[in-house]
Structures are given as structure tokens and as C-alpha cells.
Amino acid sequence: MKNSPEYILGFHQTSHAKLPIVGGKGANLGELARIEGICVPDGFCVSTDAFRRIMAENPVINKLLAQLSLLKTEDRALIAGLSHKIRTSITDTPIPPDITAEIIRHLATAGKEQAYAVRSSATAEDLPTASFAGQQDTFLNVIGQESILQHISQCWASLFTERAIFYRIQNNFPHHKVYLSVVIQRMIFPQASGIMFTADPISGNRKVLSIDAGFGLGEALVSGLVNPDVYKVADDTVIDKKIATKKIAIDALPGGGTNEQKIAPEKQNKQVLADEQILSLARMGRQLEAHFGSPQDIEWCLANQKFYIVQSRPVTTLYPIPKQEDEQNHVYLSVGHAQMMTDAMKPLGLAVWLLTTPATMRVAGGRLFVDVTPMLLSPKGRPSIIDTLGRFDPLVKDALTTLIDRGNFIKSLPEDENEPDSDKGNKSTPPPNYQALNNYDSLGGAAKVVAGLIKNSTASIETLKQNIQLKSGAEVFDFILEDIKELKQTVHAPQSFGAIMTGMNAAVWINEKMNEWLGEKNVADTLSQSVPNNVTAEMGLELIDVADLIRPYPQLIDYLKHTKNDNFLDKLPDFAGGTEAKKAIEAYLDKYGMRCAGEIDITRTRWAEKPSILIPAMLNNIKSFETGASKQKFEQGLQEALKKEQDLSERLKQLPDGEQKARETKQMIALVRDLAGYREYPKYAMISRYFIYKQALLKEAKKLVQAKVIHEKEDIFYLSFEELREAVSTHQLDYTLIRQRKEDFKNYEKLTPPRVMTSDGEIITGQYKRENLPGGAIIGLAVSSGIIEGRARVILNMEDADLEENDILVTAFTDPSWTPLFVSIKGLVTEVGGLMTHGAVIAREYGLPAVVGVENATKLIKDGDRIRVNGTEGWVQILTQ
């Protein structure tokens, strides 16, 4: 039996349980009214039942809503037209007499001349994950029954302003599933008002409370008419005050409505709240935060020396803090920035990565973080870890240094009194590892060691492919766990890690010594071109070879240009040259089909699962290169490297002790060329295993779908490894868990993870320390030498790539899956990355000038801008827009 509609509810009748009836604002006001010691102006809510009735009794509105549901954000003109029609239709519809009578009855208790605030309260508003604040209208100082009724209709209509429509489309909220309640609240005429955040909205620090304060009504602050005073409070102490010049206030007019008033000059620079009032208000904020269980965005006002709370909503923009087991201070580093994948990961992806990695990691906001606190506590180890991290990402080094320099967050452990003075303090990068040279000589050379590592790994992967086919049910999970042990032994083996680090140290040595002896920077970049055993670089070049087979056949090219079919391979034999092209693409996928954007997340769609992802890259190769270009590109890079080696040798021999310097440099160059390419292999091996695991798990998922345990195979991506094992074993699962995880993931996708954050939630941002830069230069990290000018192509999705010769790729981040595009570009700019991340390694391999770690590059640089990239000094200039 359906409940009777509730058209009017007093604040004492509302709570979070009534959110579908009174909206987010109304529900929160009901909660606030129940909290002891918190003063809330009295009022009532005109419920969503009243709004639904208005909508249901007007068939024109529903037809217009059906049209609106088909539109996207780019349909601005159509949205504007429908917005106007819907709002007019609502305001022209009379409020039913029985609802009108009930509203008037509630108003009568306070008297006809009482002023009210009439405020919209949508069901998709003031929610824990999306505030939707300010999307609907609020009207202040409304006096008289007729005026209040008119403003109720205007609030309902404001659900369909262009602004509100766009916001819902962007946040994937269906228009027909959002309803509006209207809050009628007794008007307070304050001498001061403002906003309070119980967590610092700028830094995210949960222990710092921030108050904005101005004279008069809060509308002056909200609308940006005045700059407010800003007070910061921590540990019941005012720690910072910024007193603004406040020239305007908004006050209520006696007959209704509001008006701007000029503030007297002698009052403009006066502190709005006294320190005692700041602390009193802050205590209220902490009380509300404790009640609601999360940081709050609170609207307050001060009248007759009494604070009133007129709204409290969750702060939705804060990045979640990794969970911890103690109350100590901790410092967390983003794993995604190091892995060049800052997107949110699904639960199964997080679980498999955590099983794989030897490091202890924590999850927050769908991303992984490493707690580096233990390494920062030691005065002896601290400089080493900060310098090491700084070699990969200077922004991380500067952020950590900033935090350490404060002296009050990370306390140093006592220094070892027995430590020699010479060992204390900062330690420089070690000299070339001559022991490593001797070790490789005894093993038959670095190249032989690398070949052995790759051979053993390849054999292990083939064995995995064969053996996992024999497993089913819970056996699959046990088998994967056992194989992960094998994965760790091969990927993280000391000999494998030693090969990578020796190659890196040799490159650092070359760069330092050549700069010192010859005054030439980043020489190792040229010497690293066209090295052997770089599986990621080979992947890019081999796709050029695939393009060579397609290029002679215009009909085949035309089909690829226009097909939207994920199964396009099946149609290729219908065209001349198609059979050979299909075989070549399938061979390519056999070798590289496990790769994809964000590949460290096992749940991501692989090239082998959706080969059409590669079509834009193949078409770019067909357009940009002549037949045989892959071999020419490799040979060109090789000759440049050999030429540079010869040049260095000749110049070094002219120096004092030149023969010795040339001999040492030759040894280091040999290590770089033999070992640099292997840097890419361990991840390739790991991702190869991931894809095998995924295929086996999806077989089990198919059985769960057939058993009606889940709705689609991809549902398993929202379970942890152990949760999935349990579901496979028992064929039982509460599907609401998957629904909630999907909703959580949508919200995590909107967040931007910080490089460095503390256990207080504070985001510590680093800065580049650079001087003598050209005007307008955007600073980043130089990772591949050279200077190039060209057209910027801002591309966030590899499938959207349409590149021309001399284009410079500008994107958020690149992982190995982007390599096929690298062969077509002349330079690279990314927002995320470090010296040894994959994009940097491949840029050096291909000889592309590259600058990474350029904050907000995809926003500062527009698609089509002509830019200059200096990969030697580490900056980008926008030349023309």
C-alpha cells in the first residue's frame, strides 16, 4: 500500500532518513535542529511530493523532460530553449489549493509580517559525494503569503536553469530522477555571516579549520562581491588571520528583498569576528563535524551576539586519507605518479597489484600510496631517500623538504652517536659501480645477463599459460597466488633489479662527468637511443611494420578509417591485402595484446580484448611514414648514439688524464647500452602474467553470470581477490556491494590524487627551483634532450589521436601503451612523470625532446597551440595560440 503524500514537514520532522522527501538541504537542517547547543532558525519544508504533483499534473513538462534527457553538454542552444520552456511552464502552473492552504497554515504561526528565506533543496544536493551547491535558487527576506508562494514556484523552476542542467549532465544525474523540496526558514538579520570549512579547503588539512567572515548577509561573500576575512584555527588556537578590506555588505530591506550597502570607511578594515568569537564558532564546527562524521561546509550568521547555523553539508572536494592503525603522523607518496597512471583503479585491480608488489601500500580514493614515514624518521637515511626520490621527481623532493623544514610534523629519531661524522648529513650519488662491472665481466658481460633474464622469464610465462588452463573454481585462485610468488621472484629478483640500477647509475655518471669535463648536459640521452632489448620501444616500431602491410591497399585503409566495429579483424579478409594484414595484427597482439592504458589495473580493457584501440595509431603510421621506416628509425638512432660515443672519446682524450677518462666513459657507455633497454622488460613480464590471470578470472566470472550470482562478467572488477574467490566457491554474493563499489568508483574518478599528502589530509605541493628561464616558460623536468617547436596536440585518450608530422604530444601521463604514438611525434609534454618513468625512457630511446611533470599542462596548453619544448633545460613555451 502506497503511503499518503506528505506535503509539509517541520524541521523537527525531517532527518537524513527523509532526504527523498525534503532534499539534501532540508534533511541536513532537520539533523542540525536536533543537535544540542546548535541554534537553527525555525522553518518547514514543502516536500518533493508537492513538486512531483505539480510535474505530474502538467503533461507538457514531461514531454519537454523527455527531450532534455537526450541532450549532451555540447547542445547548448537546445538546452537553453528547453530550459526556458520548462521553467515557464512550472511558474505558470498554480500550486494546488490543498497544498497552498497547508503552506499558509504554517506561515500563520509566525505572523504575516515575518520575513523568510525561501531556499531550494534538491534530492541530488548536499550529498557526501556531490554537493550540487548553488545549482538552484535561494531568495532572501521574502515577506507575505503571495510572495512566498510565488518564490516556491520559482525555486521549483530553478531545478531547470541552464546551469543546473549542465551540472547534472556532467555528474551523470538523470533529470527525471532529481526532485525539489523548498525550505521556508525564518529570516535572520545578521551583523556578520559567512562560511566555515572544518578542513582547510586549500590544503586539505583536516586539523585546520577555515572561516570566511563578512558584514551583513552572506550573499555578498557567496556572490564574490567582497573579499572576506579568513581565519584559520587549529587545536583551539587562531593560527592565522587575513583581514580583508570590505567595502560592500548586503542587507535586508524593510519591505522585503535585499540591497547592497556601502560600508563606512572606518569599518572596512575592521576584523569581523573577535578572536573569542572565532574560537566559539570553530568549536561549533568541530561539533557538527563529529555529528555528521565527515568534514563540513557550514553556513553561519551572527545576530545579537548569537551564532546561528543555517546549513551544513559535506565537503566533497577533499581527497580521502589512507587508513592508518595509529595516531602518529604519517607521510604518503602517490604510487600512481611513479607508475604514470594516476587514474582510479577498481577493487580487483588494487587487490592484484597489492598481491604483486613487495612494498607496503595503502588505498585511498581508488589509488595506492606508500607510507615513507619510517625512512623520513631517520636523520641518517632521510637525505638519501629524499635525494633518491628527487632524481625521479623533483616536485616530490621539494614537497618532502618543505614538510621536513617545518620541524613539527616529522620528528627525527636520535642520531646514532657511534656514526662517524663523515657519514652524517647528505650523501652524494655513489661513484660508478666498478664492482658491478667486474661482476658482469665474470658473467660473460651485461648483455648476456640480460638475455638470460629475458629467456627465463619468457619460459616461465609460457609455463603459466599452459598450466592455468587446467584449473577451475577455487583452484584458479590458489594457482594465481602461487604464480604471484614466481612473478615476484622474476620481476623483483636481485639480478634483475641490479641490472636496472647499474644501467641507471651508469647514465647518471655519464651525465655528471660529461657536464663536469666537457660542459655538455644530458649526454646519456643520445647514448640511450636504439638500445637492444627495449621491448616497449620495439612495440612502437613493430606497429610501423604492420602499417607497411596495409599502406598499399586504399580500400583497406578506408575501411579502417570508418569502422566502429570492435571485431573489425574478422572483416579484413574481405579486402585486398586484408588476410596478410589480419595475420600481422594478430601476431602483434600475440606479442603485445596484454598492454593497454593504465595497464597496472588488471581490470582495464587490453588491446587483445579491443584491437580497435590500435586503429588510430596504425592510421597515423600509414600517413606519416614510408615503407621500411621502422628499420630506418632504429638505424638512425643507433648511428647518432655511436657518433656521440666517438665524439666524446675524441674530446676526452684531449683533456688531462684523457686516456683514463675516455676508458672509464667507454665502460659506462657499454653498461648504458647493454642495460638501459632492460628497464622496460620487468613490467612487460608482469603485465603479461596479469593478462593470463585476467582471462582465467573472466572464465569464472562467466560461470557466475550463468548462475545469476552477478549480472555481467565485469562485475567481478568491483570485488577484491578474496571476495571473488568466496563468490566463486559459494555462488553467493550480496549484489548491493557491487552497486556501492560502482558508485564509489565513479566518485573516485573525479578526484585528482596528490603526489604527497600527510595523515592530516594536507596536500603538500612542491615547486621547481629554477632561474634564468625565458619569459612565459612553463617549468617541468627535463628527461630527454633537445629543443623542438611544433603544434601541440592535447590528447587524453590514445583512441582520439590524430597526429601529423612534427606534432608534439601533450597529455596527462603516458604508460607503455602510448608508445605506438611516440613514433609519430617530435616531442612530448606530460603532467606526470619522472626521469625513469616509461615515457621518459622511450622518449630517450626515440630521441624525442621531452619535458614531464609539467603541472596542468593539458589546461595551460591548448590543442593546436604552437609550442617550444626544451628537453635539455626542462621547460615549455607557448609561442602562438
Side-chain angles (χ1 to χ4, degrees):
M1 182 176 175
K2 187 176 179 181
N3 293 330
S4 299
E6 296 179 275
Y7 294 128
I8 308 295
L9 294 91
F11 288 170
H12 65 283
Q13 296 174 289
T14 69
S15 66
H16 280 166
K18 296 281 189 179
L19 189 146
I21 301 174
V22 297
K25 193 179 275 97
N28 285 349
L29 284 168
E31 291 284 335
L32 287 168
R34 288 176 166 78
I35 303 173
E36 187 176 351
I38 301 298
C39 295
V40 178
D42 196 20
F44 60 91
C45 299
V46 181
S47 76
T48 57
D49 285 343
F51 174 79
R52 290 170 192 257
R53 184 168 160 188
I54 289 288
M55 300 293 280
E57 293 178 0
N58 191 329
V60 173
I61 296 177
N62 290 299
K63 289 180 181 178
L64 294 171
L65 275 180
Q67 296 174 40
L68 185 64
S69 66
L70 301 175
L71 302 183
K72 299 178 180 179
T73 53
E74 53 264 32
D75 301 318
R76 290 185 173 274
L78 293 174
I79 288 173
L82 285 173
S83 168
H84 177 72
K85 289 179 182 178
I86 294 171
R87 285 184 287 118
T88 301
S89 185
I90 291 173
T91 54
D92 287 349
T93 301
I95 300 175
D98 56 325
I99 299 177
T100 297
E102 210 170 331
I103 293 170
I104 292 173
R105 182 171 62 81
H106 276 75
L107 292 173
T109 60
K112 292 183 178 180
E113 299 307 313
Q114 173 64 49
Y116 289 92
V118 182
R119 313 171 75 189
S120 302
S121 179
T123 52
E125 180 179 66
D126 297 342
L127 305 178
T129 54
S131 75
F132 285 73
Q135 296 307 309
Q136 287 81 46
D137 288 345
T138 287
F139 303 97
L140 300 179
N141 199 30
V142 182
I143 300 173
Q145 295 175 359
E146 286 303 317
S147 181
I148 289 171
L149 292 171
Q150 290 172 10
H151 283 90
I152 289 171
S153 292
Q154 288 180 43
C155 281
W156 285 335
S158 73
L159 190 62
F160 299 101
T161 62
E162 292 177 51
R163 177 182 60 186
I165 290 169
F166 278 115
Y167 195 85
R168 285 196 297 275
I169 293 173
Q170 290 166 347
N171 286 275
N172 297 313
F173 269 80
H175 303 295
H176 63 281
K177 289 188 177 181
V178 181
Y179 305 101
L180 198 79
S181 168
V182 179
V183 172
I184 313 296
Q185 189 173 26
R186 186 168 59 86
M187 188 73 188
I188 298 294
F189 301 98
Q191 65 256 33
S193 57
I195 300 167
M196 170 168 52
F197 297 94
T198 63
D200 191 316
I202 305 301
S203 71
N205 194 328
R206 308 310 199 260
K207 291 185 178 179
V208 175
L209 182 145
S210 181
I211 298 172
D212 290 6
F215 295 117
L217 293 169
E219 294 306 293
L221 271 64
V222 174
S223 60
L225 289 175
V226 298
N227 292 323
D229 286 0
V230 180
Y231 316 126
K232 304 281 186 180
V233 179
D235 297 325
D236 205 34
T237 303
V238 179
I239 61 171
D240 187 49
K241 290 187 289 188
K242 289 184 172 60
I243 310 304
T245 300
K246 301 165 286 292
K247 297 182 179 181
I248 294 173
I250 293 181
D251 293 324
L253 293 172
T258 61
N259 188 39
E260 289 183 19
Q261 300 284 346
K262 290 184 178 180
I263 297 174
E266 65 273 13
K267 190 180 176 183
Q268 290 180 2
N269 292 301
K270 183 180 178 182
Q271 184 172 320
V272 175
L273 298 181
D275 284 10
E276 296 80 8
Q277 292 174 318
I278 294 170
L279 294 177
S280 176
L281 182 59
R283 292 181 197 117
M284 286 186 190
R286 290 300 181 207
Q287 183 183 356
L288 295 180
E289 181 181 65
H291 176 85
F292 289 111
S294 66
Q296 296 291 298
D297 168 359
I298 300 163
E299 296 175 23
W300 60 269
C301 57
L302 178 68
N304 300 318
Q305 303 307 309
K306 185 177 182 178
F307 281 112
Y308 292 86
I309 303 299
V310 295
Q311 189 50 261
S312 184
R313 62 176 69 89
V315 182
T316 60
T317 55
L318 298 172
Y319 197 87
I321 305 172
K323 291 182 180 178
Q324 57 194 64
E325 290 74 34
D326 57 41
E327 298 298 319
Q328 302 300 312
N329 291 341
H330 293 264
V331 182
Y332 303 105
L333 298 190
S334 164
V335 174
H337 283 80
Q339 288 293 328
M340 295 289 277
M341 212 294 275
T342 55
D343 290 347
M345 296 172 66
K346 296 185 178 75
L348 186 60
L350 291 166
V352 172
W353 180 265
L354 288 170
L355 287 170
T356 304
T357 180
T360 302
M361 296 182 182
R362 299 177 186 275
V363 177
R367 278 87 169 180
L368 292 160
F369 293 84
V370 175
D371 186 351
V372 295
T373 315
M375 291 174 277
L376 297 177
L377 288 173
S378 166
K380 183 177 180 179
R382 180 186 295 166
S384 175
I385 184 65
I386 291 178
D387 280 351
T388 300
L389 291 169
R391 284 171 56 189
F392 294 95
D393 190 340
L395 294 177
V396 169
K397 177 179 180 178
D398 187 65
L400 291 176
T401 302
T402 298
L403 188 62
I404 296 297
D405 287 348
R406 291 181 186 174
N408 61 352
F409 190 81
I410 296 296
K411 306 291 186 184
S412 298
L413 294 173
E415 289 195 38
D416 186 351
E417 295 180 359
N418 297 319
E419 182 186 358
D421 289 342
S422 60
D423 289 340
K424 295 180 180 179
N426 202 343
K427 294 179 174 62
S428 62
T429 303
N433 193 339
Y434 288 110
Q435 183 62 45
L437 277 172
N438 294 332
N439 289 343
Y440 283 119
D441 287 342
S442 67
L443 293 169
K448 186 174 181 180
V449 169
V450 168
L453 288 168
I454 293 174
K455 180 180 178 181
N456 293 339
S457 176
T458 302
S460 176
I461 291 169
E462 286 302 315
T463 301
L464 167 63
K465 282 182 183 177
Q466 298 300 318
N467 292 342
I468 203 168
Q469 302 284 346
L470 308 174
K471 309 298 178 183
S472 65
E475 290 179 328
V476 171
F477 296 85
D478 295 332
F479 184 81
I480 289 174
L481 288 174
E482 282 300 311
D483 190 75
I484 285 175
K485 295 178 183 177
E486 174 79 12
L487 185 158
K488 288 181 177 179
Q489 289 175 359
T490 55
V491 172
H492 305 297
Q495 194 176 60
S496 177
F497 182 72
I500 293 170
M501 291 307 299
T502 301
M504 287 172 57
N505 286 336
V508 170
W509 184 92
I510 290 171
N511 283 338
E512 289 180 350
K513 294 301 182 183
M514 297 309 103
N515 191 26
E516 176 187 343
W517 294 339
L518 300 175
E520 187 170 350
K521 290 184 177 181
N522 302 333
V523 176
D525 293 354
T526 304
L527 297 168
S528 299
Q529 292 186 60
S530 298
V531 294
N533 297 313
N534 189 324
V535 67
T536 307
E538 291 166 1
M539 178 175 72
L541 294 174
E542 286 177 30
L543 198 61
I544 297 179
D545 294 336
V546 173
D548 287 351
L549 292 174
I550 301 172
R551 190 177 293 105
Y553 303 100
Q555 287 186 320
L556 190 55
I557 294 171
D558 186 66
Y559 170 69
L560 291 175
K561 284 180 178 178
H562 296 98
T563 183
K564 303 295 182 184
N565 190 346
D566 287 338
N567 299 316
F568 75 96
L569 285 173
D570 296 336
K571 294 288 186 181
L572 292 186
D574 295 346
F575 300 91
T579 300
E580 292 74 15
K582 181 183 179 185
K583 289 179 181 177
I585 295 171
E586 287 175 337
Y588 185 86
L589 292 172
D590 284 343
K591 190 171 181 180
Y592 302 113
M594 79 294 292
R595 312 222 82 149
C596 68
E599 62 190 10
I600 65 172
D601 182 351
I602 195 174
T603 70
R604 289 291 191 104
T605 302
R606 311 283 145 172
W607 292 346
E609 296 170 314
K610 189 180 178 182
S612 58
I613 295 172
L614 292 172
I615 289 177
M618 289 189 289
L619 291 173
N620 280 327
N621 290 345
I622 291 168
K623 178 173 57 177
S624 302
F625 301 112
E626 299 293 332
T627 301
S630 68
K631 294 180 179 58
Q632 293 171 11
K633 286 180 73 70
F634 186 86
E635 185 62 26
Q636 180 183 348
L638 177 61
Q639 291 305 315
E640 288 179 9
L642 295 176
K643 182 180 178 182
K644 174 58 69 175
E645 180 177 4
Q646 181 63 32
D647 173 64
L648 293 175
S649 178
E650 292 173 359
R651 290 161 63 194
L652 287 170
K653 288 176 181 178
Q654 306 303 315
L655 302 176
D657 300 322
E659 292 293 336
Q660 174 68 18
K661 289 173 179 173
R663 188 161 53 251
E664 290 178 1
T665 301
K666 183 177 178 63
Q667 291 175 313
M668 292 299 109
I669 291 173
L671 283 179
V672 167
R673 293 204 57 79
D674 286 343
L675 299 175
Y678 181 71
R679 163 71 178 83
E680 292 294 300
Y681 186 80
K683 188 171 187 181
Y684 170 82
M686 182 181 75
I687 299 304
S688 296
R689 294 184 113 91
Y690 270 22
F691 188 40
I692 297 168
Y693 300 161
K694 181 182 184 182
Q695 290 171 305
L697 293 174
L698 284 173
K699 283 183 181 179
E700 298 305 316
K702 186 176 181 180
K703 298 175 188 175
L704 292 178
V705 173
Q706 292 169 345
K708 296 185 173 15
V709 176
I710 57 177
H711 298 170
E712 56 186 1
K713 290 189 298 181
E714 291 75 15
D715 283 344
I716 68 168
F717 298 160
Y718 298 92
L719 298 173
S720 72
F721 190 82
E722 287 303 320
E723 288 168 345
L724 179 54
R725 180 214 282 265
E726 183 69 16
V728 168
S729 299
T730 64
H731 274 206
Q732 292 183 345
L733 176 69
D734 181 359
Y735 197 80
T736 57
L737 176 65
I738 289 176
R739 287 197 188 97
Q740 183 59 52
R741 296 266 177 85
K742 287 182 176 182
E743 193 63 33
D744 290 343
F745 182 73
K746 286 181 183 177
N747 295 321
Y748 294 153
E749 285 185 299
K750 301 171 189 174
L751 299 175
T752 300
R755 278 181 169 83
V756 181
M757 74 182 304
T758 73
S759 49
D760 290 343
E762 182 179 7
I763 295 172
I764 312 294
T765 55
Q767 294 182 334
Y768 292 105
K769 305 297 194 236
R770 208 79 61 76
E771 296 178 353
N772 302 320
L773 292 167
I778 308 169
I779 308 173
L781 175 63
V783 295
S784 185
S785 295
I787 301 173
I788 190 73
E789 293 182 10
R791 180 181 66 160
R793 295 310 315 272
V794 180
I795 298 171
L796 301 180
N797 187 329
M798 181 178 160
E799 295 174 72
D800 298 331
D802 181 15
L803 299 165
E804 302 284 349
E805 190 175 3
N806 295 323
D807 279 349
I808 298 170
L809 175 62
V810 180
T811 189
F813 60 82
T814 63
D815 59 11
S817 71
W818 286 72
T819 304
L821 297 184
F822 280 31
V823 297
S824 301
I825 61 176
K826 296 300 181 183
L828 174 69
V829 178
T830 69
E831 294 179 337
V832 176
L835 188 62
M836 291 307 296
T837 48
H838 298 276
V841 172
I842 302 306
R844 291 193 290 272
E845 163 79 19
Y846 287 165
L848 302 175
V851 181
V852 303
V854 181
E855 300 273 75
N856 298 311
T858 59
K859 297 180 180 67
L860 296 172
I861 301 169
K862 300 295 185 288
D863 189 54
D865 285 354
R866 185 164 183 81
I867 62 174
R868 177 183 295 127
V869 177
N870 189 319
T872 305
E873 300 292 340
W875 50 260
V876 182
Q877 270 184 308
I878 301 174
L879 303 176
T880 57
Q881 293 182 307

